[in-house]
Structures are given as C-alpha cells and as structure tokens.
Amino acid sequence: MTSSHGSDDTAAEIAARQASAKRHMWLHFTRMSTFADSDMPLIVRGSGPYVFDDRGKRYLDGLSGLFVSQIGHGRKEVAEAAARQGSELGYFPLWSYGHPRAIELAERLAGMAPGDLNRVFFTTSGSEAVESAWKLAKQYFKAIGKHGRYKVLSRDIAYHGTSMGALAITGLAGLKEPFEPLPAGGVRVPNTNFYRAPGFVAHDVTAFGQWAADEIERAILREGPESVAAVFLEPLQNSGGCFPPPPGYFQRVREICDRYGVLLVSDEVICAFGRLGYHFGAQRYSYQPDIITFAKGVTSGYAPLGGMLVSDALMEPFGKGKATFLHGVTFAGHPVSCAVALANLDVFEKEDLLGNVRANEAGFRGTLEKLNDLPIVGDVRGDGYFYGIEMVKDKASRETFSDDESEQLLRGFMSQALFAAGLVCRADDRGDPVIQLAPPLTCTQEHFDEMEQILRSVLTEAWARL
Ligand SMILES: Cc1ncc(COP(=O)(O)O)c(C=O)c1O
C-alpha cells in the first residue's frame, strides 16, 4: 500500500499510483489525452495556504483549490467536528425532518445575510443551488398566479454551473453547445468588463455601469416583463477574469427588477464567505437580493455543501395550506457538512478572516499591479482576495491573442509553467486569456510576494516565447 503522505512514497509506489490514475480516473473539464505522455498532477495533502504533491513538492494554493479553501488546508478542528458529527448522526435527510446542525447553520447564515433573507434551502453544490433558485422562482410565480414568468437573465461569459438548468443560465456558448437543446428561457445581457467596454461608454466607468444595467431593462422589455422570472448575477463576475460591478450598477439593477417584478438572484457561490471581505458580496456592493446562492466557502471544502438563502416574501406562499416546494436532493444539508460549516465559520470569527481580507486587500492589489510593467499584462482587476490578470498581445491597442496563440500560450505553456514553478492558479480563456487568483483568506503579504515573483518569471518567459 502507498502511504497517504506521498512524500514518503517510493518511486515504485508513485509510478503504480500514476498508472492506476491514468487507467481509472476521469477528471472534470480536463483533456484526458494530455496524460498519455505526461503525469497527472496528484495533490496528497495541505497545510495552511500550501498543498503538496505525491513527490513532496510544495505549491502555494493561489486559487483556494477552486475558490473553496477560505480557511486554508489541514485544519484539525474542522476535521474533528466532522468526526464528532459522524458518530452522533452520520446521516438523515432534510425531506420532512430537521436535525440540529442544519438548524444551527440555517439560523447562523440568516443572521449573517443582508435584509430578510431568513430562510435556508440546503443543497450539496453550487449548480444545485442555482438550479434550485430557478425552480423556486418558477414555482413561486405560479403559486402567486403569474404563470408566464419563467425566463432568466444572466451575463455574457458568466459561469453558473453545469447541471442542465444551471447550464442554461451559464453564458458560455462553448460549454453549452454539446448539450443543446437546454431548458428554454435563458437570456444573455452584457457583463461588466470595463476593459472591453463599448466605445461610447469606455471613458466613464459609472456611465458604463448604467448602460450595462439598462441593458437588463431593455432585455426585460424585449422578452416581455410578464415572462421574466429572475436575473442571476454574481457580485463580481468570475468567468472572463474578475469583472467588478461599476459604481451604481447593482443599485440600478435593483430598481429595474423592482419596476418589473423580477427577482434578483445574487449567485455567491464564489463571492460569499469572505472572498470580498464580507460575509456576502451583496454586502460589499450594498444591494439587497431576493435570493443568495452559495456553496464552496461555506465549508472551506472540508465537506460538500451548498444552498440558497431566500427572502421571507418568497417563502410566504409555501408556508400555507398544501403548498410544497417540489424539489430536493438526498444529501442536501448533510449533518457532517453542516457541522463542518459551523466549525469553518468559527474559524472565520476566531481569526477575524473578514478583517484580514479588508486589512490586506490593498496590499494584494498593489502587489499584483506591479506586474503592469510587463508588456503582456493588459489589465489587473478584482476586489478582496479575488483577482484576474488579462494578458494581451499589444498593451496600447489592447489587442488580444488569436485562438491558436491563446491555445499555445495558456494550454501549451502557462498552465504547466505556473504549476511547475509552485503556484496553483487558473489560466483561462473562456473570455479573453486571463490568470485568476483567489488565495485562502489567511494569506498575507509574504504570500502575495511569492505569487508576484512566480507570475513575473512565467509571464516574462511567455512573452519571450511569443
Ligand atoms: C458563480 C457560480 N455558480 C455556480 C457554480 C457551480 O458550482 P458547483 O461547481 O459547486 O456545482 C460555480 C462554480 O464555480 C460558480 O462559480
């Protein structure tokens, strides 16, 4: 048997595990053919903001796994909370029953959430949370007699998950195409990429934001307000490379939603739980959603959990007579996951992680902005501990790379080079080519410096190869 700590493994054990991985594993969103002539990266343990591979090599986890590990790796108190809960009550469904950890967590989340988002519907993942929010919006409108409202608006290039409903909300044509036809009713509106703003609003970020918000109104009018159920927006859009909302954007969107009776869903699968220095991104940008979807950071990944926080008003028709929200999944609000989430939130409080992000985010931004002196760096953007770096072929004209160049740059070189240099981050070309960073919320200046040094050397080499 191989040891679970990897670094003690013999060469024969490492080779055997590689062979087994290549024979049996199917990785998500991964070109499996790459493993015909290269090894699969295998991460075997973590400690703080670092993870270690099967050969004992250390990596700075600049992406918190996948925007998940807010408190960092290797937290014994969280693992112990899972073990305690497993021996007390390992499983019971939330279909018709409650259990103490889910109740405690629901109350705690409601207390953290803005306004009257007092009701928690648990899921196991972000896609399920998004799926649930759309289903709730549809059933809610039927329950109040507005039978025609089923459509959802979301932004270009935005990622909202992979199940069929969530995929219909996702704004990435390439991810959807193999699965068409998807559920009807997904409508796209512009995102808030100011770096690529249309010329007539490119001079003024506030004017750009008002235009982007007004495009939501135009889409509602075009579709017919009586057919639109909800608008799904991330506080800060991930896919495309971290697009923050322009000043006033969400306030205008809220007005528009109110004017047409459309629900505002804040998809906070990434942005909640401190990523932007607040419990929820809606608090950072001062708007009141009708639903917040969450997952990832709620447990920092020590167990899977997601859910939606729902306003009292939306719950109201479901609290009467025979009404039932006809939706559920077996593992939603799993007792072990809820215990883990509570222990995770305890760490947030004990170590003031929101305070850490707020105190250090200017340092993070400033450190990444140093990279602006490189010819390949076009834009550094984001908020909190969530940043994207857009790479360009020509800084002055903002010309981007062709598909072939992008393929060579990101897949052919950058992804492997960054990993080989000891940094986990994301080199992505679902919009224009970007590198994304979302480190654990425990990180401080020394970690930002480490990221900057690795990025500087890899970006410099990438430019030299072009
Ligand atoms: C904004 C957003 N919504 C939904 C999802 C889907 O979450 P999951 O992968 O847990 O299904 C993601 C995943 O990254 C996300 O970023």
Side-chain angles (χ1 to χ4, degrees):
M1 279 300 285
T2 52
S3 107
S4 62
H5 284 271
S7 48
D8 303 329
D9 293 349
T10 64
E13 286 168 333
I14 289 170
R17 194 192 284 118
Q18 270 301 330
S20 177
K22 290 180 185 189
R23 176 69 187 93
H24 298 295
M25 290 287 288
W26 196 337
L27 303 189
H28 297 208
F29 283 114
T30 303
R31 289 182 189 172
M32 294 303 289
S33 63
T34 53
F35 304 126
D37 51 16
S38 68
D39 278 354
M40 192 180 287
L42 303 182
I43 300 299
V44 299
R45 71 184 175 91
S47 173
Y50 293 98
V51 291
F52 298 81
D53 72 11
D54 55 341
R55 291 157 170 90
K57 183 174 171 188
R58 192 180 87 158
Y59 302 83
L60 178 56
D61 185 2
L63 204 64
S64 301
L66 197 56
F67 315 102
V68 168
S69 309
Q70 318 294 71
I71 62 172
H73 301 277
R75 298 279 196 161
K76 291 228 166 15
E77 66 268 51
V78 181
E80 281 161 10
R84 270 196 310 277
Q85 182 58 42
S87 8
E88 183 181 307
L89 178 69
Y91 173 70
F92 219 71
L94 291 184
W95 301 44
S96 307
Y97 307 92
H99 57 72
R101 296 302 93 72
I103 297 164
E104 287 158 29
L105 181 60
E107 181 176 342
R108 192 151 168 189
L109 293 174
M112 290 158 56
D116 69 342
L117 302 185
N118 289 319
R119 194 62 72 156
V120 182
F121 184 91
F122 286 112
T123 66
T124 63
S125 72
S127 295
E128 276 175 9
V130 168
E131 197 83 25
S132 304
W134 191 7
K135 288 182 80 172
L136 176 62
K138 285 169 110 171
Q139 200 185 338
Y140 166 78
F141 281 118
K142 286 205 164 87
I144 63 167
K146 298 190 173 174
H147 292 263
R149 285 194 188 258
Y150 69 97
K151 293 179 188 167
V152 279
L153 273 52
S154 58
R155 297 184 289 200
D156 289 329
I157 319 178
Y159 181 85
H160 292 284
T162 49
S163 57
M164 290 294 182
L167 195 57
I169 301 175
T170 286
L172 290 152
L175 290 195
K176 296 153 78 116
E177 191 275 329
F179 310 105
E180 299 282 2
L182 290 166
V187 177
R188 286 303 77 69
V189 293
N191 60 43
T192 59
N193 182 1
F194 185 55
Y195 187 65
R196 303 270 174 212
F200 60 93
V201 280
H203 60 286
D204 178 351
V205 68
T206 305
F208 168 65
Q210 299 298 292
W211 167 80
D214 288 347
E215 282 293 302
I216 292 178
E217 180 169 34
R218 281 187 273 279
I220 292 172
L221 291 171
R222 208 168 43 237
E223 296 295 325
E226 68 295 336
S227 73
V228 180
V231 180
F232 278 69
L233 305 172
E234 289 168 272
L236 183 154
Q237 180 174 324
N238 163 45
S239 194
C242 294
F243 306 143
Y249 173 80
F250 271 110
Q251 290 63 38
R252 182 76 149 238
V253 171
R254 183 69 263 183
E255 277 168 33
I256 293 166
C257 287
D258 288 344
R259 192 172 313 141
Y260 298 103
V262 170
L263 302 175
L264 175 55
V265 181
S266 193
D267 183 357
E268 307 222 8
V269 167
I270 291 180
C271 291
F273 306 108
R275 180 58 50 210
L276 301 174
Y278 290 76
H279 291 309
F280 295 98
Q283 291 158 328
R284 174 161 190 146
Y285 302 124
S286 306
Y287 63 95
Q288 180 61 45
D290 300 295
I291 301 176
I292 287 179
T293 49
F294 64 86
K296 298 191 187 257
V298 66
T299 59
S300 286
Y302 286 80
L305 185 69
M308 56 176 174
L309 275 147
V310 176
S311 70
D312 289 331
L314 271 178
M315 169 64 192
E316 204 267 337
F318 295 93
K320 295 192 289 212
K322 293 182 184 160
T324 306
F325 180 33
L326 293 171
H327 181 57
V329 286
T330 300
F331 285 137
H334 192 285
V336 171
S337 300
C338 291
V340 161
L342 289 163
N344 177 49
L345 295 176
D346 287 345
V347 175
F348 269 73
E349 275 175 28
K350 247 188 304 183
E351 299 182 12
D352 187 20
L353 291 186
L354 302 187
N356 192 54
V357 173
R358 291 187 204 177
N360 289 303
E361 67 173 310
F364 188 32
R365 176 189 286 273
T367 307
L368 294 178
E369 281 178 345
K370 286 191 202 164
L371 297 166
N372 272 323
D373 66 352
L374 300 176
I376 196 171
V377 171
D379 196 23
V380 176
R381 57 190 177 234
D383 270 328
Y385 274 19
F386 192 18
Y387 272 83
I389 299 170
E390 179 165 337
M391 291 166 284
V392 287
K393 206 153 107 178
D394 185 304
K395 231 178 160 80
S397 68
R398 302 188 179 183
E399 183 186 350
T400 192
F401 297 95
S402 67
D403 288 351
D404 281 351
E405 289 164 337
S406 206
E407 167 79 22
Q408 275 172 25
L409 178 71
L410 292 183
R411 296 191 205 278
F413 174 68
M414 297 275 307
S415 300
Q416 289 91 331
L418 287 162
F419 190 65
L423 178 63
V424 176
C425 61
R426 182 171 199 167
D428 192 27
D429 62 352
R430 291 180 295 182
D432 293 310
V434 289
I435 294 171
Q436 280 186 291
L437 296 155
L441 311 184
T442 50
C443 282
T444 53
Q445 190 59 44
E446 62 178 304
H447 306 111
F448 308 149
D449 289 338
E450 191 178 338
M451 284 182 232
E452 195 267 343
Q453 279 150 25
I454 294 175
L455 287 164
R456 175 170 295 279
S457 82
V458 172
L459 286 165
T460 303
E461 198 185 333
W463 183 251
R465 284 167 166 254
L466 281 170

